[in-house]
Amino acid sequence: MAAVIINIKNAVVSYREDVALRGVSLEIRVGEMIGVIGPNGAGKTTLLTLINGLGHLLQGEVWVLGHDVSRGCLAALRSRIGYVPQLPAIDPRMPVTVREVVMMGRYGRLGFFRRPGPKDWQRVDDLLQRVGMEHLAGRPIGHLSGGEQQRVAIARALAQEPEILLLDEPTASLDRKGEQQILTLIQRIHKERQLTTLMVTHSLAGLDALCDRLVLMKGGRIWQTGTPAALLTEKVLELLF
């Protein structure tokens, strides 16, 4: 059996006056593909934030890649966790190219005071080719469609050469075709790079083929975990949503 790479025990997380996670416990093993689903306000994004070392932990323990997150270990985790946030609105006038955006992902590994060298730029170019965006490398990031921006965001996260990949609503605002293309890309990258992947999503299409396990969240708690076959049923989903 694969080793545990993320171990959360009775975690309580708050933002100001609001408790976002309430006694959450979860073990994730190396190489798993986990889908996290639930209604708005369930704590899904907060769960990713906690794993990424940025949650305000009031109670409990969180161990990620052998590090106790509660003791502050951002430097140790920065290059080992790739994070793809929900896509923000990008000003089309922003003078940053696709290639430069992906290079931003290298700084977690390089450090902010080191300049990227030829090998780093080659790494960026290889990733752009891998996600099918090499032909748009010189285009301003704000000129891309939503699906194209999502591909760039995934490449930027992979530029860190992570062991864990966290994705927050990677198919939000995409049409059905774009959604399927992104999910296929995520699945291929997960397998090729032997990553441990957690994906928050509202879209249930394709999760049965994509995920090893689902985490269902509700009211800041983990409500159920199990295989897609066991949980993607009409009865369970009616109770969840």
Side-chain angles (χ1 to χ4, degrees):
M1 184 177 292
V4 174
I5 194 171
I6 298 168
N7 193 358
I8 303 172
K9 299 179 180 179
N10 196 33
V12 177
V13 175
S14 74
Y15 294 113
R16 298 182 182 148
E17 304 298 324
D18 298 324
V19 178
L21 294 181
R22 306 169 183 271
V24 166
S25 296
L26 179 67
E27 285 189 359
I28 297 171
R29 297 187 177 275
V30 172
E32 279 195 287
M33 165 67 86
I34 304 292
V36 183
I37 64 175
N40 291 333
K44 304 183 299 296
T45 295
T46 303
L47 179 66
L48 296 191
T49 301
L50 183 63
I51 294 168
N52 209 19
L54 298 173
H56 183 201
L57 188 65
L58 294 181
Q59 179 181 314
E61 298 180 19
V62 180
W63 290 83
V64 180
L65 292 160
H67 295 278
D68 183 352
V69 170
S70 65
R71 296 189 176 183
C73 52
L74 286 180
L77 294 178
R78 184 178 295 125
S79 65
R80 301 178 70 187
I81 300 177
Y83 179 57
V84 180
Q86 295 184 34
L87 280 180
I90 299 176
D91 189 333
R93 297 169 296 180
M94 183 180 291
V96 182
T97 68
V98 165
R99 195 169 184 246
E100 290 167 337
V101 168
V102 177
M103 178 55 74
M104 292 175 186
R106 291 295 294 167
Y107 287 105
R109 184 165 290 276
L110 290 172
F112 286 104
F113 300 106
R114 286 183 56 196
R115 294 177 63 85
K119 290 184 178 179
D120 298 299
W121 286 110
Q122 184 60 55
R123 175 70 175 166
V124 166
D125 292 338
D126 290 345
L127 286 169
L128 284 172
Q129 184 175 19
R130 195 68 196 91
V131 301
M133 292 297 295
E134 71 278 10
H135 62 296
L136 298 176
R139 184 168 296 186
I141 185 66
H143 290 192
L144 271 55
S145 69
E148 290 167 342
Q149 288 182 16
Q150 194 61 270
R151 289 173 179 271
V152 174
I154 292 170
R156 181 181 60 191
L158 294 176
Q160 298 179 209
E161 301 177 35
E163 298 167 54
I164 296 172
L165 182 62
L166 308 176
L167 303 116
D168 193 357
E169 297 287 359
T171 62
S173 303
L174 301 183
D175 60 22
R176 183 59 61 88
K177 180 180 179 181
E179 178 180 300
Q180 187 55 54
Q181 289 174 342
I182 291 296
L183 291 178
T184 299
L185 175 63
I186 290 168
Q187 184 178 42
R188 185 168 70 243
I189 287 169
H190 170 79
K191 291 181 177 179
E192 288 177 353
R193 299 180 182 274
Q194 299 181 326
L195 297 170
T196 303
T197 304
L198 285 86
M199 180 179 68
V200 167
T201 182
H202 276 98
S203 174
L204 305 181
L207 290 185
D208 53 341
L210 179 64
C211 297
D212 301 310
R213 191 157 53 108
L214 297 180
V215 173
L216 276 52
M217 299 192 68
K218 191 173 185 178
R221 302 179 187 275
I222 292 180
W223 184 56
Q224 290 191 47
T225 64
T227 64
L231 297 182
L232 291 179
T233 67
E234 185 176 346
K235 182 178 180 180
V236 170
L237 295 176
E238 283 182 356
L239 292 172
L240 178 63
F241 292 100

